[in-house]
Amino acid sequence: MVALPTKKLEAWRYTDLRPLSAVTFGAPPAAAATPDLPDLPFPRFVFLNGVLNAALSSGFAYAKPFVPVEGQGTQPMALINADYAQDGINIEIPAGQDAGELLLISQSDGITPFAFHPRHRVKLGQGAKFALIELNQGEGTYWQNAVFEVEVAEGAKFQHFRLQEESVEAFNTTTIYADIEGQGSYEHFTLTLGARISRTEIEANLLGQNALAHLNAAQLLGGTQHGDFTTIIRHKAPNCPSRQTVKSVLAGKAHAVFQGKIEVDQIAQKTDGYQMSQALLLSPETEMDIKPELQIFADDVKCSHGATIGALDEEQVFYLRSRGIPEAEARQILIRAFLEEALEPVTHDASKALFEEVLESWWTKQ
Amino acid sequence: MSMTTEATIQELAAQKYKYGFTTDIEMEEFPKGLSTDIVRLISAKKGEPEWLLAWRLKAYEAWLKMEEPHWARVHHPPIDYQALYYYAAPAKAAPKSLDEVDPELLKTYEKLGIPLNERAALAGVAVDAVFDSVSVATTFRETLAKAGVIFCSISEAVKEHPELVRKYLGSVVPAGDNYFAALNSAVFSDGSFVFIPKGVKCPMELSTYFRINARNTGQFERTLIVAEEGASVSYLEGCTAPMRDENQLHAAVVELVAFDDAKIKYSTVQNWYPGDADGKGGIYNFVTKRGACRGRNSKISWTQVETGSAITWKYPSCILQGEGSVGEFYSVAVTNSHQQADTGTKMIHVGRNTTSTIISKGISAGKSNNTYRGLVKIMPGASGARNFTQCDSLLIGDQCGAHTVPYIENRNSSAKVEHEATTSKIAEDQLFYCRSRGLSEEDSVGLIVNGFCKDVLKELPMEFAVEAQKLLAVSLEGSVG
Amino acid sequence: MLEIKNLHARIGDAEILKGVTLTIPDGEIHAIMGPNGAGKSTLSYVLSGREGYEVTKGEVIFNGENILEMEPEDRAAAGLFLAFQYPVELPGVGNANFLRTSLNAIRRKRGEEELDAVAFLKLARAAVRQLAMKEDFLKRNVNVGFSGGEKKRNEMLQMAILKPHLAILDETDSGLDIDALKIVAEGVNALRDEKFSALVITHYQRLLDHIVPDVVHVLAGGKIVRSGPASLALELEASGYAGLEVA
Ligand SMILES: Nc1ncnc2c1ncn2[C@@H]1O[C@H](COP(=O)(O)OP(=O)(O)OP(=O)(O)O)[C@@H](O)[C@H]1O
Ligand SMILES: [Mg+2]
């Protein structure tokens, strides 16, 4: 196997994979129970322990058979994936088609530790439309190391909403490559709740004028969880906007990371890049590391990033209390408001409702 | 902008780098290259005690095992450390008083606008002048001595105040801290030493003026400033070098120590020779600057205006140990032509209720690259720590690059960290507004850039703020149109 | 009735209030005027229990209870209301939701029944109309993106709904247009009865034209240096605060 990256690599300075390398992973066992599937009226692909389950899956007009990997990507995790990938969805939406929604469900049951490396491909033709809703859930110890290859042709619109609710003993590393042509858009949102260690890494290339990337995330971590959201947006054409909002709420001894790099090529004039990351630390032993990065070679650009890390704002707490709201409740209201805002970038109603429900139950568990 | 300032800019612009002359003076140089022998020779030349020689040799050993760092966004051909001279000094014996200083040298400093003659000197500023490897003169020593302030070259301090030097040298930047700091520790030849005793407010601005003159010579100065309980001092350094086709290395180390309620303000106007329009020549400015706020409510404030050097690699930092201590970093970095700057700061919050402020303004023009690189680190014990960072970049022309690489690491939930960064080009509407009021395009740019940098410039001591503004305009000359 | 007796308070090492003594009987409206930095906002924050202020001497009795030991929310339940000079923004917190939570928290503490969503909305809509505010005010997040004047009106909306026994208005008139000024005054006057009292902090006579105070106090250098009838405000407008600080 290609070696796992270590903290000596600049891109991995905040994420330590030693707990992952300490586990010996076997081959995926056969799935035991049938999972609880969400009640959403969309076609679906269901993977149990990394293997496609035809009985639970429905047909999808634009699905193609899996093709072995030819080896794209330079990221260490993607290289590992390329060595092992045996399955994954392969979607091609022809030009001009609105393919609606598709659910991608991964349900795992790690009674004995196992690893799987899905390779998913999503290709949208000119002006096509598609929304992919991903649910990753499970129990026990396992490692999902997924790669997505995304191609968005001119004027096409791809929405990608991910719920990462893996078992708290599991590992999830996901690498996404997205090429976006002129007028095309890639809207991404990951809600991270699960996994002992997780990392979502996205490389988005804006290749034509007015191509757009929205790479958003919310991470809600407790216990000793570690969550990492790392992105690179490359502006390679003029007039492209990119937007990022990343919010983290940390309890227990959780550790969260956001690394966001915006690269602007010399020809990418009139780039409009905006990035915001906010973290709310709810207990003393949490850790938040943020590395927003701008690398700019064009002059007529507008790029900015902002970051704030801190506990709840005591001014706000006092304001609520001065209106008669007890302190504990005042704090709750403010935390929920922060989470509510985190979901703002989700523009897809069904996904938003799903995320809200998940947040609600996360909340009652706290 | 007043008429006179404008006139000065025009005049300066015409000359471009006006500090590029050389001084003809008989020099004593050690053989080229670096070895234990050279380190011993430097130490012997300066009549140093055994402990200091041992310290240098240890640093040299450490350096041999280290590798030149390459993580910064700067590129240069490999430096041949054996092709450099590590010691060059005016041949005449060190002067005992100003009257004995070689008249050629006095003339040099006069030409640089730094008269060493106390009658002609800037009112209220004491100057230590460092020429290549050694300090040639320190003014106003008696006035300072009366207040209890020690201000002299570090070589002298080794002789006169060995216990102080031994106690603090390397206590903030250890000899093996990084590649260039290790090199400096092995071969440093001179620099300034400042000691402000308990409760003393230094009665005047202290200033060191660094001048590289000799060819193929590295300048490795070492500055150490200690402010005891309740003491305060404002210190300024300026730097220039002749125009030469080869690159010259400048690897300095600055250490600051502040005890309870002490305040140190350290300002730099860095105007080393930046190289010519094609990127030939210029100084490699690889500097380690760090301050330790050891005492409660101590404060260290770095202000820098960086316009010179072919390459700038420096991160003036603060270690905020004392409860309630304060660190500040105000920086303007201008790059033009083929200049490269990778500069910023590190604020390490260790103590409770420590605060830090970072204001960085980067301006890139020509074919230059300008990077802000900074670290804000809140340690678990730093309850109630606060940081605010504002980091803005301005681009003039489409051949240059502006980069921002902040690292924010928070391990205390009661700390509050805020960071904002923007990159934009010079605003068309502002330019148009200025020009419609009759300003030339170049003057308009100068005016807007000065406005952009105002939050930093206002931190400079009065005497130097005007100089810095002029420098900005000169550095950007030829960047528009 | 509010009785402030020889109140001393400090922020860090700085003593801001240096012995404020003031009594506001039920049914009365008192105005406080005074130069910038005199300690007017400090007084209002100390009364409402904001952190960071250390009371070093004196007491504050509100309806027979010493309130200085009480939590801010308990003071609110006891009927104290502060309209902030600089209202705080609460991103993500809906205005209506916030108001209902406050109202019900106070009602709970007082042993009153909580209002359901329908009853509350009815009440809130009426108040919004009364204050001539836009309908969408209730839907927006608390004070986020509100103009200066809108923030002040929002404070008045909260007051109208929470119906305090004692309202402290800290420069609620600054930044208000002429119509809004009248609306604020009407809001206060509508609550006026023999049980309600108010402490109105202001720099301008124009608010006091609409809310006529029973007593006007001048706070300077952390103390009440003068008290008098409503006409004192007019006098001050003419002569300024010069000479008062030493008095
Ligand atoms: N957190 C603080 N730390 C230190 N001093 C403070 C703090 N807050 C207020 N002060 C000082 O306390 C004094 C009183 O402030 P306060 O806000 O009460 O004045 P004010 O009378 O309301 O003024 P204005 O009319 O301008 O609103 C001022 O000198 C102010 O600078
Ligand atoms: Mg006030």
Side-chain angles (χ1 to χ4, degrees):
Chain A
M1 185 167 103
V2 179
L4 285 170
T6 69
K7 291 181 76 168
K8 286 203 185 100
L9 277 178
E10 176 65 24
W12 288 85
R13 61 185 289 137
Y14 295 122
T15 293
D16 188 348
L17 290 181
R18 276 177 302 181
L20 173 64
S21 50
V23 180
T24 314
F25 295 100
T34 31
D36 259 350
L37 294 177
D39 183 23
L40 285 169
F42 306 132
R44 60 194 55 196
F45 282 95
V46 179
F47 288 80
L48 299 183
N49 293 357
V51 178
L52 182 70
N53 184 305
L56 294 172
S57 305
S58 62
F60 186 61
Y62 309 104
K64 296 254 169 351
F66 178 78
V67 188
V69 181
E70 282 152 32
Q72 187 213 11
T74 49
Q75 259 41 16
M77 304 320 274
L79 291 174
I80 293 171
N81 173 286
D83 280 349
Y84 292 91
Q86 291 187 346
D87 210 345
I89 59 170
N90 186 9
I91 308 293
E92 271 185 39
I93 318 284
Q97 291 290 329
D98 182 347
E101 288 89 354
L102 177 68
L103 280 177
L104 174 58
I105 297 170
S106 167
Q107 177 78 33
S108 304
D109 190 356
I111 300 170
T112 56
F114 69 94
F116 60 107
H117 305 262
R119 189 83 172 194
H120 302 299
R121 297 180 178 91
V122 176
K123 204 169 163 177
L124 277 75
Q126 282 193 16
K129 267 190 186 171
F130 179 49
L132 181 66
I133 304 164
E134 242 190 274
L135 311 176
N136 299 284
Q137 285 152 337
E139 271 166 47
T141 305
Y142 55 92
W143 174 27
Q144 172 168 198
N145 178 39
V147 170
F148 283 84
E149 295 167 28
V150 174
E151 288 173 43
V152 179
E154 277 178 21
K157 180 177 176 182
F158 178 41
Q159 293 179 296
H160 190 183
F161 304 107
R162 304 178 62 236
L163 171 62
Q164 191 274 89
E165 215 185 358
E166 307 275 26
S167 139
V168 289
E169 284 127 51
F171 303 88
N172 181 303
T173 48
T174 300
T175 310
I176 299 170
Y177 297 100
D179 282 344
I180 304 132
E181 300 292 341
Q183 321 284 337
S185 70
Y186 177 47
E187 258 181 68
H188 176 106
F189 183 87
T190 293
L191 175 59
T192 298
L193 293 168
R196 176 171 169 197
I197 295 177
S198 70
R199 165 144 157 155
T200 298
E201 181 164 347
I202 308 175
E203 279 187 27
N205 298 314
L206 299 170
L207 301 173
Q209 293 224 26
N210 297 306
L212 168 157
H214 286 189
L215 308 183
N216 304 304
Q219 317 195 70
L220 274 71
L221 305 170
T224 55
Q225 283 183 291
H226 178 104
D228 178 339
F229 189 68
T230 292
T231 61
I232 300 177
I233 300 181
R234 300 197 182 91
H235 286 259
K236 291 171 170 291
N239 283 309
C240 295
S242 66
R243 291 278 173 281
Q244 283 184 276
T245 306
V246 177
K247 295 207 172 202
S248 308
V249 177
L250 306 183
K253 294 182 178 179
H255 181 182
V257 178
F258 169 56
Q259 307 184 97
K261 186 172 184 186
I262 299 177
E263 294 181 7
V264 179
D265 281 6
Q266 203 183 328
I267 60 156
Q269 296 294 356
K270 307 260 184 227
T271 284
D272 178 3
Y274 172 82
Q275 195 183 69
M276 180 48 130
S277 64
Q278 293 176 313
L280 196 52
L281 309 186
L282 299 181
S283 66
E285 290 175 275
T286 51
E287 177 171 348
M288 179 80 221
D289 297 313
I290 297 181
K291 186 186 169 198
E293 202 178 333
L294 300 172
Q295 177 188 303
I296 294 168
F297 286 106
D299 67 333
D300 191 3
V301 300
K302 214 173 70 193
C303 283
S304 64
H305 62 229
T308 59
I309 309 176
L312 284 176
D313 182 351
E314 293 301 321
E315 289 281 317
Q316 295 180 341
V317 175
F318 172 67
Y319 190 69
L320 287 157
R321 292 176 73 191
S322 78
R323 297 296 178 258
I325 300 172
E327 183 173 352
E329 195 180 341
R331 291 183 185 278
Q332 261 196 33
I333 288 176
L334 292 171
I335 298 166
R336 299 190 74 143
F338 184 85
L339 291 176
E340 194 60 39
E341 279 200 315
L343 292 186
E344 242 163 51
V346 182
T347 52
H348 185 263
D349 289 344
S351 305
K352 190 160 186 164
L354 177 79
F355 289 148
E356 268 168 358
E357 201 179 302
V358 170
L359 281 188
E360 191 62 41
S361 66
W362 181 84
W363 185 256
T364 40
K365 270 186 264 162
Q366 293 308 299
Chain B
M1 205 185 303
S2 72
M3 285 305 287
T4 41
T5 329
E6 236 180 281
T8 326
I9 290 175
Q10 310 272 299
E11 176 197 321
L12 286 174
Q15 293 169 252
K16 191 64 175 156
Y17 193 75
K18 71 162 177 173
Y19 310 101
F21 62 90
T22 51
T23 305
D24 247 340
I25 187 169
E26 199 187 325
M27 296 294 287
E28 179 185 4
E29 280 171 350
F30 287 179
K32 253 189 203 175
L34 188 51
S35 62
T36 3
D37 286 346
I38 290 287
V39 175
R40 285 177 189 280
L41 215 56
I42 293 171
S43 188
K45 175 79 198 168
K46 306 182 92 60
E48 285 176 356
E50 195 55 38
W51 67 265
L52 191 51
L53 173 63
W55 191 77
R56 284 177 181 276
L57 288 170
K58 224 176 121 194
Y60 176 67
E61 289 304 321
W63 179 76
L64 284 177
K65 293 195 194 85
M66 296 168 101
E67 271 179 43
E68 206 180 89
H70 291 289
W71 43 261
R73 178 181 284 282
V74 297
H75 304 282
H76 53 78
I79 299 171
D80 182 356
Y81 290 91
Q82 296 305 339
L84 290 178
Y85 290 101
Y86 287 86
Y87 186 86
K92 283 193 193 147
K96 300 247 161 9
S97 74
L98 278 177
D99 306 333
E100 289 178 29
V101 177
D102 189 319
E104 269 305 307
L105 278 177
L106 288 180
K107 260 194 249 157
T108 301
Y109 282 89
E110 232 148 82
K111 252 166 122 177
L112 293 169
I114 317 286
L116 296 177
N117 176 326
E118 286 186 15
R119 266 154 296 151
L122 278 171
V125 183
V127 179
D128 182 22
V130 177
F131 190 80
D132 288 332
S133 301
V134 298
S135 167
V136 292
T138 311
T139 63
F140 291 107
R141 302 174 57 147
E142 260 134 61
T143 323
L144 291 169
K146 265 189 220 133
V149 172
I150 304 172
F151 179 38
C152 62
S153 71
I154 199 135
S155 321
E156 256 182 287
V158 170
K159 294 204 177 80
E160 311 285 325
H161 311 282
E163 65 307 331
L164 287 177
V165 177
R166 192 169 186 179
K167 186 165 169 195
Y168 295 110
L169 185 76
S171 75
V172 186
V173 180
D177 187 81
N178 66 66
Y179 189 79
F180 298 112
L183 178 64
N184 173 288
S185 301
V187 303
F188 76 89
S189 37
D190 220 334
S192 302
F193 175 75
V194 177
F195 182 83
I196 320 281
K198 213 166 175 164
V200 172
K201 308 239 168 301
C202 186
M204 59 207 317
E205 295 276 345
L206 303 185
S207 152
T208 297
Y209 199 86
F210 295 102
R211 173 77 178 164
I212 296 180
N213 185 61
R215 187 181 289 271
N216 294 336
T217 302
Q219 180 157 323
F220 306 93
E221 86 270 359
R222 183 117 199 161
T223 299
L224 175 57
I225 301 179
V226 180
E228 287 196 324
E229 287 81 353
S232 69
V233 61
S234 169
Y235 178 94
L236 183 126
E237 60 174 9
C239 343
T240 57
M243 288 154 61
R244 295 194 190 278
D245 285 350
E246 320 84 52
N247 295 108
Q248 284 181 283
L249 179 63
H250 171 252
V253 171
V254 176
E255 297 178 274
L256 312 181
V257 183
F259 290 98
D260 287 3
D261 301 302
K263 290 187 172 53
I264 302 177
K265 182 177 174 63
Y266 194 106
S267 313
T268 304
V269 176
Q270 186 265 104
N271 185 29
W272 296 116
Y273 177 53
D276 68 10
D278 299 320
K280 196 158 188 208
I283 301 289
Y284 290 169
N285 189 34
F286 298 155
V287 173
T288 304
K289 290 182 168 172
R290 196 175 300 153
C293 281
R294 299 227 168 112
R296 291 171 65 97
N297 301 321
S298 54
K299 176 175 174 182
I300 288 180
S301 177
W302 298 101
T303 305
Q304 60 175 29
V305 175
E306 304 279 322
T307 60
S309 296
I311 301 178
T312 298
W313 179 101
K314 67 183 268 208
Y315 314 91
S317 305
C318 296
I319 300 165
L320 304 167
Q321 291 162 297
E323 185 173 334
S325 58
V326 177
E328 293 175 340
F329 175 74
Y330 297 99
S331 169
V332 168
V334 184
T335 53
N336 198 353
S337 301
H338 290 265
Q339 281 177 282
Q340 307 173 59
D342 195 303
T343 184
T345 184
K346 290 183 197 173
M347 293 289 175
I348 315 289
H349 292 254
V350 181
R352 298 166 65 87
N353 295 321
T354 45
T355 48
S356 62
T357 305
I358 300 173
I359 309 283
S360 162
K361 307 283 177 179
I363 298 133
S364 337
K367 294 193 160 94
S368 69
N369 269 296
N370 199 328
T371 302
Y372 168 82
R373 188 181 301 276
L375 168 69
V376 173
K377 187 172 190 138
I378 316 279
M379 305 296 277
S383 298
R386 292 269 175 281
N387 161 266
F388 175 75
T389 301
Q390 173 79 50
C391 178
D392 298 313
S393 309
L394 200 60
L395 291 140
I396 303 175
D398 62 357
Q399 304 285 308
C400 52
H403 319 296
T404 315
V405 193
Y407 296 77
I408 307 163
E409 306 177 2
N410 188 348
R411 299 181 60 190
N412 187 300
S413 64
S414 66
K416 186 165 182 181
V417 181
E418 286 176 83
H419 172 103
E420 287 169 25
T422 62
T423 303
S424 56
K425 79 171 199 168
I426 201 155
E428 296 287 356
D429 52 347
Q430 289 178 349
L431 262 184
F432 175 70
Y433 187 81
C434 294
R435 296 175 73 186
S436 71
R437 295 292 175 271
L439 288 172
S440 72
E441 184 166 10
E442 206 146 84
D443 285 350
S444 303
V445 169
L447 198 69
I448 292 165
V449 167
N450 267 310
F452 176 75
C453 300
K454 199 167 152 217
D455 288 345
V456 174
L457 295 179
K458 74 176 178 11
E459 295 296 323
L460 281 177
M462 262 298 285
E463 295 84 343
F464 301 96
V466 181
E467 185 71 16
Q469 282 190 26
K470 285 189 219 159
L471 264 182
L472 289 186
V474 174
S475 310
L476 291 171
E477 189 243 344
S479 62
V480 288
Chain C
M1 180 156 86
L2 178 76
E3 292 171 86
I4 305 171
K5 295 180 193 162
N6 192 27
L7 185 64
H8 288 251
R10 54 200 303 158
I11 306 170
D13 291 335
E15 181 160 64
I16 311 288
L17 300 183
K18 301 172 182 163
V20 174
T21 300
L22 178 68
T23 301
I24 309 180
D26 285 349
E28 287 194 8
I29 292 197
H30 288 211
I32 288 193
M33 305 182 80
N36 294 132
K40 303 183 294 296
S41 295
T42 303
L43 176 64
S44 67
Y45 285 136
V46 171
L47 292 177
S48 53
R50 192 183 192 220
E51 256 175 54
Y53 300 84
E54 191 194 342
V55 175
T56 51
K57 228 192 251 172
E59 53 181 9
V60 178
I61 311 292
F62 182 51
N63 293 339
E65 271 187 288
N66 183 354
I67 59 166
L68 289 180
E69 296 302 314
M70 288 162 65
E71 297 296 330
E73 55 268 34
D74 295 331
R75 299 184 201 205
L80 198 74
F81 178 90
L82 167 64
F84 285 57
Q85 183 175 1
Y86 305 108
V88 177
E89 299 185 5
L90 303 176
V93 180
N95 220 2
N97 193 19
F98 166 64
L99 268 171
R100 186 158 87 92
T101 313
S102 301
L103 181 62
N104 282 338
I106 291 176
R107 291 177 76 105
R108 237 181 358 251
K109 282 223 174 93
R110 290 182 183 159
E112 295 165 7
E113 211 174 304
E114 294 187 25
L115 283 192
D116 63 26
V118 179
F120 169 77
L121 264 186
K122 219 171 126 192
L123 184 79
R125 288 226 178 90
V128 163
R129 240 170 287 131
Q130 187 81 43
L131 287 163
M133 291 159 68
K134 282 185 224 121
E135 267 290 318
D136 73 344
F137 245 61
L138 288 169
K139 289 199 198 108
R140 290 170 63 180
N141 289 339
V142 181
N143 294 330
V144 179
F146 286 20
S147 75
E150 285 172 338
K151 283 183 183 168
K152 298 299 176 78
R153 288 196 206 202
N154 203 26
E155 296 290 284
M156 289 301 99
L157 172 67
Q158 294 170 18
M159 183 178 79
I161 287 173
L162 301 180
K163 297 210 170 35
H165 297 308
L166 173 76
I168 305 165
L169 274 58
D170 190 356
E171 296 195 25
T172 303
D173 53 335
S174 348
L176 288 187
D177 61 37
I178 300 158
D179 293 341
L181 198 68
K182 281 195 192 136
I183 290 165
V184 166
E186 277 164 26
V188 175
N189 291 330
L191 291 173
R192 252 181 134 150
D193 64 22
E194 68 278 9
K195 301 245 23 124
F196 176 80
S197 53
L199 183 61
V200 179
I201 299 171
T202 181
H203 287 294
Y204 307 105
Q205 172 62 36
R206 51 172 209 187
L207 179 66
L208 304 180
D209 288 340
H210 301 285
I211 309 176
V212 181
D214 298 288
V215 185
V216 173
H217 305 276
V218 179
L219 183 73
K223 278 187 187 165
I224 302 287
V225 294
R226 230 182 123 180
S227 301
S231 60
L232 175 57
L234 287 168
E235 202 180 302
L236 289 169
E237 194 140 71
S239 62
Y241 297 116
L244 277 174
E245 263 164 90
V246 276

